[in-house]
Amino acid sequence: MAIDWHYPRTDLTERLMSAFDQRVVEALTLFAPRGMGKTEFVRYDLIPEAGKRGYVPVYVNFRDKRDDPASVLLAALRTALSDRNWWRRRQRVVKAASLDEVESAVLATESPAIAPDSTMLVELRAHFLELIQNNDRILLCIDEVQHLASSRAFENLVFFLRTILDENRDKVRTIYAGASRDGLRNLFCRRKAALFQSSSQIELPTLGSGFIEHMRSSFQQASGRDFSHREGNKAFDLLNRVPKELRLVIEKMILSGADDIVNEAAVLSEGQLERGDYEKVWKRLKGLD
Ligand SMILES: Nc1ncnc2c1ncn2[C@@H]1O[C@H](COP(=O)(O)OP(=O)(O)O)[C@@H](O)[C@H]1O
Ligand SMILES: [Mg+2]
């Protein structure tokens, strides 16, 4: 059987979903720096649980097409309309992109921002309403939401979202996820984006020993080799407790046959420091967000 590398955040999922169920909140904003597991949580924990509870999930990632968020939203609505169970057929193994890949993707796609025209907004509205009419509960997941603050061209899309969500409070729950606190604050504080002010903000908890144990047992299954919990923990510390980085280290160990996880983690973090990559990329990403 295929190894499930995903470590489920069961408690967090339960807490957020009951807050949505009981209408404690209509919207939540999830913060954490890149690589900490926001997308993974939304796609592999929250959405499946929401599906079980009768919500129709809609997943939008505004980084998928940075110049045209409206078309990303439209595609997500179409998917939800045409295929109620799209999320069940997800690919289990999502390979983590390295920071270099992320950076070059960011730099390569700097085409001019497209403001949705009225035809697009009419179409978005029609799709939204169809979804709302046919379903009792919708979970709208908006990933990389801070991207909407990156251009004035996106302001009418923000306004559109605010209006449609305001009009349909009884049926739609929204989760926003974003990496940049500043970018999000920007978005929340703008007068036109008052929508976001009404969302409760939570920080994605840092993963701990449960995650390390899960990685240990997955590594054992995949390679027949082992590392101790203490070593795993030390490696995770060296990687600033960024799950994406631990996954990269383990992947490398499986491919190269290396055994010493602490050493591999040290090599990865030193390499990043030496090249000055991490900080550089990090600053640039923050600036762009
Ligand atoms: N709960 C988890 N279980 C296993 N791996 C995880 C988990 N959360 C994050 N990861 C690893 O970290 C990578 C980055 O996570 P991601 O959700 O894309 O981060 P973010 O959206 O916060 O930038 C994932 O591709 C995966 O390799
Ligand atoms: Mg993400």
Side-chain angles (χ1 to χ4, degrees):
M1 219 183 91
I3 299 165
D4 190 357
W5 288 90
H6 175 69
Y7 170 67
R9 297 182 188 251
T10 319
D11 291 354
L12 186 64
T13 308
E14 176 60 35
R15 256 185 288 138
L16 300 199
M17 282 317 301
S18 22
F20 279 144
D21 279 346
Q22 292 154 16
R23 290 193 72 168
V24 178
V25 288
E26 271 141 21
L28 276 170
T29 305
L30 195 62
F31 283 119
R34 269 183 209 300
M36 296 302 278
K38 297 177 297 296
T39 301
E40 178 111 0
F41 170 69
V42 169
R43 294 195 63 124
Y44 302 157
D45 291 312
L46 207 60
I47 285 178
E49 180 59 26
K52 279 185 208 151
R53 295 182 189 218
Y55 290 76
V56 173
V58 181
Y59 176 80
V60 186
N61 188 328
F62 284 136
R63 273 193 171 232
D64 284 351
K65 204 162 182 284
R66 295 171 58 87
D67 54 342
D68 193 3
S71 76
V72 177
L73 178 58
L74 186 62
L77 291 168
R78 286 205 171 119
T79 303
L81 276 170
S82 65
D83 185 359
R84 262 193 79 123
N85 295 316
W86 61 268
W87 49 272
R88 284 208 184 115
R89 273 183 296 285
R90 72 185 166 86
Q91 262 191 301
R92 269 259 167 205
V93 187
V94 184
K95 206 181 162 300
S98 72
L99 275 175
D100 302 318
E101 282 163 2
V102 171
E103 183 186 31
S104 46
V106 166
L107 296 177
T109 51
E110 297 288 311
S111 35
I114 300 171
D117 59 14
S118 55
T119 318
M120 173 58 105
L121 292 175
V122 166
E123 213 172 336
L124 281 176
R125 171 167 276 273
H127 280 74
F128 240 115
L129 293 181
E130 190 182 338
L131 199 62
I132 288 163
Q133 268 151 25
N134 296 336
N135 299 284
D136 286 340
R137 294 202 283 188
I138 288 146
L139 180 68
L140 178 62
C141 307
I142 303 193
D143 207 345
E144 305 285 2
V145 65
Q146 80 280 351
H147 184 59
L148 292 182
S150 67
S151 167
R152 304 216 76 169
F154 305 149
E155 273 187 0
N156 58 353
L157 182 62
V158 172
F159 188 74
F160 165 83
L161 270 173
R162 182 186 91 169
T163 310
I164 200 110
L165 294 177
D166 259 356
E167 288 168 2
N168 296 284
R169 286 164 164 272
D170 50 332
K171 284 195 170 181
V172 187
R173 303 284 175 276
T174 312
I175 182 139
Y176 304 99
S180 150
R181 222 173 232 286
D182 295 345
L184 286 166
R185 206 171 277 143
N186 233 330
L187 198 60
F188 297 156
C189 294
R190 258 198 240 154
R191 199 169 47 84
K192 270 186 151 182
L195 151 79
F196 300 116
Q197 270 167 356
S198 63
S199 89
S200 298
Q201 296 164 22
I202 47 166
E203 208 143 341
L204 184 73
T206 312
L207 291 172
S209 58
F211 175 67
I212 293 167
E213 274 310 300
H214 187 82
M215 288 301 117
R216 254 187 88 188
S217 99
S218 305
F219 177 70
Q220 273 169 8
Q221 288 173 65
S223 69
R225 291 176 276 136
D226 198 4
F227 53 83
S228 72
H229 187 87
R230 239 184 104 225
E231 288 166 332
N233 194 45
K234 196 161 170 208
F236 200 30
D237 270 344
L238 283 172
L239 302 167
N240 300 311
R241 306 192 85 75
V242 180
K244 178 177 180 170
E245 308 269 294
L246 192 68
R247 289 279 299 268
L248 284 175
V249 163
I250 290 175
E251 197 179 293
K252 202 178 141 212
M253 287 167 71
I254 291 171
L255 295 174
S256 70
D259 264 328
D260 185 344
I261 192 169
V262 178
N263 185 53
E264 293 304 312
V267 168
L268 182 75
S269 81
E270 262 164 40
Q272 283 167 346
L273 281 180
E274 245 166 51
R275 296 199 308 271
D277 281 0
Y278 197 77
E279 210 186 0
K280 203 178 71 204
V281 173
W282 188 241
K283 275 193 189 134
R284 197 172 302 172
L285 287 171
K286 266 167 102 175
L288 277 169
D289 283 339

